[in-house]
Amino acid sequence: MASNPHFSDRPRILVVGGGYVGLYVAHRLQKKVKDHGGIVTLVDPLPYMTYQPFLPEVAAGSIEARHAIVSHRKHLRKTELISGKVTSINHAGRTATIEPTGGGESFELGYSDVVVAAGSITRTFPIEGLKDQGIGLKTIEEAVALRNKMLERIETASVMPEGPERDRALTFVVVGGGFAGIETITEMEDAARDSVKANSRLSRSDLRFVLVEAMGRIMPEVTAQQAEWVVGHLRSRQIEVLLNTSLSSAVDGTLKLINMPDKTPADEFETDTLIWTAGVQANPVVRSTDFPVDERGRLRANAELRITGDDGPLQNAWTAGDVAAVPDLTGGGVGGFCVPNAQHAVRQAKLLAANILAASYGVGEVKEYRHTNLGAVAGFGQFKGVANIMGFGMKGFPAWLAHRGYHGFAMPMYERKARVIVNWSMSFLFGRDLAPLSDLQNPQRQFREAATPPPKKDTALQSQPPTPAGQAAAAKATA
């Protein structure tokens, strides 16, 4: 496979993935590496980084979708950007194979250092019907689709007669009781509540929101007492919380639930909206490399964020974020490793950039990653939330403020922060935007209808002689 002549032949730091880690590493290295005669190259199928904690608010209409992403072109001006997917890495030969996003032949790209920051994908299970009926909430496109589908289902159901079809349209199900699932169902319920207030044909009692969680509790990131409070809060908002319950089938939108762990039948009902937030897994691209991978499919790493094998760290190979099994030196991580969240990813990225400068250019010294988890914050819709910050628990309005404050600060780039804060201000003053955008999946529908000639009249019917009854009616009309 030939190399591509369009790209620089300078010593290259190849960054695989443009999420939290990739964006921050490239942003911090691009100018300094260029000053040393090298270049930073970032490869990602998407031209932007998604700030995933904002996806529930995008789905609820509190944040404009484009404001929850960070453009690579705008903020990585000194980085060589490639829109494509790394399909394999041969670290022994210091090359990566890249498949362009828009088509064309794959090509090889050489590098001196590689940063594997490919992140994670949604983790699913072989549940019949899930692939066809479910949707995740890990991309901005999924959040936009969910928002439009929920609002469209409510609007459509408002003109349906009472019955099973209407009930199905107004039933919204979230599988997974972690932070993502809880924030998703509460934000969407809040938006749906506002939507039916504006529609005199419906009321909140017509809506059905169901949370399905296989474990005996939700939100393991907060205390047990806080988790119990959250369950009570959800039920006070008429959200059904089904603990120790799992989805066994979703064929044609008919959900079959089972009790856990004995797997006896629990409930069965229909829905048009099934949202899956039951965990993530490392991007499978790591299996197409010659790097060591652990039993969960993550790259093995040491605390310096170097990819590490049985014989120690590999030279010029780095990783961080969801795709990596980074040891948690504080002892607080699950299984001894850092949990896959944005808080760790952002901090690891900053250290990783500094370690590359130290190892490759002698700027500073290589350090180990050590970060004590500051806690967790979650928003449940306007003015509602829960937080556990350095062991101090909050709920309700104070937690909602902490949630807004933390994520407003954590959103990358000042330009993006400003747009999000303006969004929040507009929503506070005028309420959330509840207008669905139709035909996003089929934007040419109206044009095709306009370009389709109307059907011709049947000339044979027009030329038939009138019947006797028709002649009599015509004579009467003439008289």
Side-chain angles (χ1 to χ4, degrees):
M1 185 178 298
S3 60
N4 194 310
H6 295 294
F7 301 110
S8 172
D9 58 358
R10 287 179 285 172
R12 173 179 287 106
I13 295 178
L14 178 64
V15 181
V16 180
Y20 298 104
V21 175
L23 175 75
Y24 275 101
V25 167
H27 189 258
R28 291 198 162 218
L29 288 180
Q30 56 181 356
K31 184 179 184 303
K32 292 171 181 163
V33 171
K34 183 179 180 181
D35 291 344
H36 282 86
I39 190 169
V40 175
T41 300
L42 185 145
V43 183
D44 194 282
L46 299 174
Y48 52 79
M49 168 262 193
T50 302
Y51 190 70
Q52 294 179 8
F54 282 158
L55 293 181
E57 291 194 61
V58 172
S62 296
I63 294 179
E64 164 62 33
R66 289 184 183 274
H67 298 170
I69 63 175
V70 180
S71 166
H72 293 154
R73 288 282 174 198
K74 184 176 182 64
H75 296 283
L76 300 177
R77 297 185 185 275
K78 292 181 172 62
T79 296
E80 185 179 57
L81 298 172
I82 300 177
S83 179
K85 180 171 62 174
V86 172
T87 56
S88 65
I89 297 174
N90 174 16
H91 189 62
R94 299 295 195 273
T95 60
T97 302
I98 299 172
E99 180 184 294
T101 297
E105 292 186 7
S106 298
F107 60 91
E108 286 187 347
L109 198 65
Y111 62 81
S112 55
D113 285 79
V114 64
V115 177
V116 184
S120 60
I121 63 172
T122 300
R123 180 187 64 186
T124 60
F125 300 102
I127 298 172
E128 192 176 10
L130 176 61
K131 179 180 177 181
D132 297 323
Q133 300 298 321
I135 184 172
L137 191 62
K138 194 164 173 56
T139 69
I140 201 73
E141 293 81 6
E142 288 174 325
V144 172
L146 270 177
R147 173 182 179 275
N148 289 321
K149 182 173 184 179
M150 179 183 71
L151 295 174
E152 179 275 324
R153 288 289 77 197
I154 290 173
E155 195 66 31
T156 300
S158 71
V159 295
M160 288 180 178
E162 293 187 12
E165 187 178 0
R166 184 174 185 256
D167 293 342
R168 175 182 172 124
L170 295 175
T171 297
F172 306 93
V173 181
V174 174
V175 179
F179 256 69
I182 300 299
E183 288 193 304
T184 297
I185 199 166
T186 50
E187 288 283 357
M188 292 184 67
E189 189 275 338
D190 211 47
R193 187 184 291 266
D194 287 345
S195 181
V196 297
K197 279 182 183 177
N199 190 326
S200 60
R201 296 187 294 269
L202 292 174
S203 65
R204 173 60 183 87
S205 60
D206 295 315
L207 302 172
R208 184 183 184 189
F209 280 83
V210 183
L211 177 73
V212 178
E213 169 53 48
M215 305 298 291
R217 62 160 289 183
I218 61 172
M219 301 179 76
E221 300 89 344
V222 300
T223 67
Q225 184 178 8
Q226 284 178 309
E228 290 176 6
W229 177 86
V230 172
V231 171
H233 172 77
L234 298 183
R235 288 173 174 162
S236 74
R237 291 167 59 173
Q238 303 174 53
I239 298 173
E240 299 174 40
V241 181
L242 306 180
L243 302 178
N244 295 309
T245 306
S246 184
L247 177 67
S248 66
S249 175
V251 176
D252 296 328
T254 299
L255 306 191
K256 296 181 180 180
L257 306 181
I258 55 175
N259 295 308
M260 297 297 288
D262 57 10
K263 297 186 178 181
T264 57
D267 197 2
E268 182 175 328
F269 56 88
E270 296 184 359
T271 182
D272 288 332
T273 311
L274 172 62
I275 307 162
W276 182 271
T277 62
V280 297
Q281 60 182 339
N283 193 314
V285 69
V286 300
R287 299 187 182 277
S288 299
T289 71
D290 53 357
F291 292 131
V293 177
D294 74 357
E295 66 279 359
R296 294 180 57 184
R298 302 172 298 180
L299 289 173
R300 292 167 57 187
N302 67 7
E304 295 177 350
L305 306 178
R306 297 179 187 268
I307 298 176
T308 304
D310 293 336
D311 298 325
L314 306 181
Q315 292 299 309
N316 308 104
W318 309 83
T319 188
D322 293 0
V323 78
V326 178
D328 188 342
L329 300 184
T330 68
V334 178
F337 297 100
C338 295
V339 297
N341 63 20
Q343 189 178 142
H344 280 303
V346 170
R347 287 166 174 78
Q348 288 172 7
K350 294 176 181 179
L351 177 67
L352 195 158
N355 281 353
I356 290 177
L357 287 174
S360 298
Y361 301 105
V363 180
E365 59 179 305
V366 176
K367 298 180 180 178
E368 293 185 332
Y369 177 74
R370 182 187 295 270
H371 171 68
T372 301
N373 197 323
L374 299 177
V377 291
F380 296 163
Q382 290 284 18
F383 315 125
K384 300 175 281 289
V386 66
N388 181 15
I389 302 174
M390 299 182 71
F392 180 72
M394 292 185 288
K395 56 190 178 184
F397 182 73
W400 177 80
L401 280 179
H403 170 265
R404 286 280 168 103
Y406 174 78
H407 287 298
F409 176 78
M411 179 71 186
M413 311 305 168
Y414 289 109
E415 170 252 346
R416 293 287 106 175
K417 296 178 195 290
R419 292 181 187 274
V420 168
I421 291 171
V422 168
N423 270 187
W424 283 337
S425 300
M426 292 299 99
S427 294
F428 179 79
L429 292 174
F430 304 112
R432 69 178 87 241
D433 191 340
L434 294 172
L437 300 177
S438 59
D439 283 338
L440 284 180
Q441 303 301 318
N442 185 21
Q444 289 182 289
R445 181 187 63 81
Q446 293 190 43
F447 177 80
R448 287 171 175 164
E449 288 180 0
T452 301
K456 294 182 179 180
K457 293 182 179 180
D458 193 330
T459 54
L461 289 175
Q462 288 183 322
S463 62
Q464 287 181 359
T467 62
Q471 291 176 332
K476 184 177 179 180
T478 303

